[in-house]
Amino acid sequence: MSSPVPPGPQASSPLFPVFADLHGRGVLVVGGGTVALRKTAALLEAGARVRVGAPALNAELATMAARGDIEHLSGHFTPQWLDDAWLAIAATDDDGVNRAVAEAGEARRIWVNVVDDARASSVQIPARVDRGPLQVAISSGGAAPMLARHLRQMLETQLDASLGELARLLGRERERIRTRFPQLGARRAFFDRLLRGNVPTLLRKRQHLAAEREFTALLHDAGTTSRGSVALVGAGPGDAGLLTLRALRVLNEADVILHDRLVSDEVLQLVRRDAQRIEVGKQAGNHHATQAQIHALMLEHASQGKRVVRLKGGDPFVFGRGGEELEVLRANGIDFEVVPGITAAVACAAYAGVPLTHREHAQSVRLVTAHCKDSTDTLDWHALAQERQTLAVYMGVAGLDRFSARLIEHGRAASTPFAIVENGSRANQRVIVGALSELAQRARDHDVQSPALLIVGEVAALADTLHWFGAPPLRDAPAIAAAA
Ligand code: SAH
């Protein structure tokens, strides 16, 4: 006699979350395809003894069986397959078989999960975020698996991989912590100090020994708690989608943000709400803050124990004076980290459809600035004028006449294509293309404004065919200018 179909989740009573210890316990997987393989792999990772029942196994499962990692039950499902099982997973594409597994499990009080069928399952496998021993499991009780998946993705972006290391460290040190702080209150206070202190940061920097030492010091009240730190973060060119996950996490944790003018509003929207924002941007001729003032601000806030983010456009180490800022921090004993960003050359080229290198046109790229501390005359014009290379020129809007003249003087063809990318990756991006000899005139015709990046080289011509973002490149003078 078969028992009734398992009831499935009831809207009125939510599921009860459980983390199961499957180590050494028998689990049955019914099915021999890719879904069964995925489940089997996860079960093996949890230490389960897995038996896979199916008339035939796919190649990977067959290999596992041959290696003895799993046991293969050959043939069609019979309730005897459940002998010895604590849990079963029905992962076939045959509803009848899946239902038979569910019913047989119900009769024997064995939990059964039917993949992608919450109603037929007595136990559900949650979406999860895995950080070693630390696991976040998410379930919508079968009501909205997509929502659970969405949440999982959000958490994946926010939870750093080093959280697993932290959980492992705390696991290893559990006894020591309990012995040192037998009282719950004192233990809580210790954890608070620990989590706010430098141990998580050191683990994130993959400095495990230093983290252990700091932990021990903290355990004996000698740790350097809340010392304050600075993260030098690249915000990319503007499109917030080009931030790295690391940048996003750091922005989420910041107490103070010192940002350049070049950092887009879209990116600033992502900063922790109650963080203090200070614009320290510098623009040609309009210095909001001198470099010395920026150094002073970083030191002031970090030495108050705050987490400071120094947020810069593009990448902090590409024409960003990031090196100088780190030297100051270093000299003052302030901890720092660097989060790279997508630099303007890389972003503008991508968003204009200009491959910086190309087998047929350019084997190297030079990142240059036509506007640095020393004058343009210190540039090696002979080298810059060489063929088969791409120049990506930062901060060049002002000196374009001189720049193109010098290149041509030193042998680069007057017909070499250029592309100016203004406001690259932003909603108001413009791309202006032409030949080197007409560079300055075209920039004037279109009234090019900062920020703009100049690309010189054969590859620039590809913008005509490979553009995909915003408006197509502008080749001729604008209509008004032409009519005049
Ligand atoms: N650290 C930055 C560069 C700072 S110098 C980076 O790695 O990108 C500032 C110059 O960068 C600007 O004058 C301009 O040439 C270039 N730039 C930065 N953002 C840009 C953008 N969105 N579009 C075009 N050029 C940009």
Side-chain angles (χ1 to χ4, degrees), residues 352-425:
V354 175
L356 287 174
T357 67
H358 190 292
R359 268 153 51 113
E360 281 160 31
H361 308 301
Q363 277 73 47
S364 68
V365 190
R366 277 170 197 267
L367 307 189
V368 280
T369 173
H371 187 278
C372 66
K373 207 161 151 195
D374 318 304
S375 83
T376 4
D377 290 326
T378 59
L379 290 172
D380 180 351
W381 290 101
H382 174 73
L384 291 179
Q386 297 304 304
E387 308 275 294
R388 302 189 66 77
Q389 66 171 335
T390 305
L391 305 180
V393 188
Y394 289 68
M395 294 178 275
V397 180
L400 292 178
D401 277 307
R402 234 164 100 86
F403 191 84
S404 51
R406 282 293 176 91
L407 280 183
I408 295 169
E409 256 169 59
H410 284 81
R412 192 91 202 223
S415 60
T416 308
F418 76 82
I420 295 175
V421 186
E422 181 194 72
N423 287 303
S425 88

Side-chain angles (χ1 to χ4, degrees), residues 2-6 28 30 76-82 88-90 92 94-108 110 112 114 117 120:
S2 79
S3 55
V5 178
L28 172 71
V30 183
H76 294 280
F77 174 72
T78 77
Q80 283 75 47
W81 284 5
L82 287 165
I89 296 185
T92 77
D94 183 328
D95 282 345
V97 174
N98 289 347
R99 177 177 291 250
V101 178
E103 284 176 10
E106 187 73 8
R108 294 175 172 224
I110 293 168
V112 176
V114 179
D117 189 348

Side-chain angles (χ1 to χ4, degrees), residues 478-484:
I480 318 148

Side-chain angles (χ1 to χ4, degrees), residues 121-304:
S121 302
S122 56
V123 65
Q124 293 182 23
I125 315 288
R128 67 181 171 144
V129 183
D130 223 319
R131 296 291 181 271
L134 193 71
Q135 300 207 42
V136 184
I138 306 148
S139 161
S140 66
M146 283 309 198
L147 188 60
R149 234 165 278 170
H150 177 72
L151 199 62
R152 187 187 76 86
Q153 250 157 31
M154 276 173 53
L155 291 172
E156 278 291 358
T157 55
Q158 281 173 26
L159 302 182
D160 196 85
S162 64
L163 274 174
E165 281 308 320
L166 183 61
R168 264 181 220 111
L169 174 80
L170 294 178
R172 280 197 305 274
E173 302 288 356
R174 204 154 164 252
E175 279 317 308
R176 274 218 294 167
I177 298 170
R178 282 179 166 266
T179 314
R180 173 78 177 82
F181 301 108
Q183 306 293 333
L184 184 62
R187 211 148 66 225
R188 283 224 179 100
F190 168 72
F191 271 108
D192 236 42
R193 277 200 313 272
L194 176 91
L195 294 179
R196 256 190 263 250
N198 300 315
V199 173
T201 318
L202 288 167
L203 287 174
R204 207 173 51 226
K205 295 184 186 175
R206 304 286 185 265
Q207 295 179 15
H208 292 103
L209 278 178
E212 301 260 1
R213 271 201 301 273
E214 175 70 14
F215 174 87
T216 303
L218 209 56
L219 201 61
H220 300 291
D221 295 323
T224 47
T225 30
S226 58
R227 192 159 53 188
S229 61
V230 176
L232 189 58
V233 178
D239 180 347
L242 296 181
L243 274 180
T244 62
L245 283 182
R246 182 79 207 117
L248 194 61
R249 286 173 187 154
V250 169
L251 289 176
N252 256 313
E253 291 170 0
D255 296 315
V256 182
I257 314 262
L258 305 175
H259 67 90
D260 282 353
R261 261 187 56 94
L262 212 51
V263 174
S264 70
D265 289 339
E266 207 186 316
V267 168
L268 289 173
Q269 299 287 324
L270 298 171
V271 168
R272 206 183 98 205
R273 287 270 168 262
D274 42 0
Q276 182 187 356
R277 281 194 215 166
I278 304 172
E279 183 182 314
V280 294
K282 288 175 289 171
Q283 205 187 21
N286 174 20
H287 285 236
H288 286 239
T290 64
Q291 194 63 37
Q293 284 170 321
I294 294 174
H295 295 167
L297 277 170
M298 289 194 308
L299 292 178
E300 178 195 326
H301 289 282
S303 49
Q304 288 167 12

Side-chain angles (χ1 to χ4, degrees), residues 237 262 313-315 318-320 343-344 348 394-395 421 423-424 426 451-453:
L262 212 51
D315 180 89
V318 179
F319 305 126
T343 189
C348 291
Y394 289 68
M395 294 178 275
V421 186
N423 287 303
R426 304 176 182 213
L453 183 104

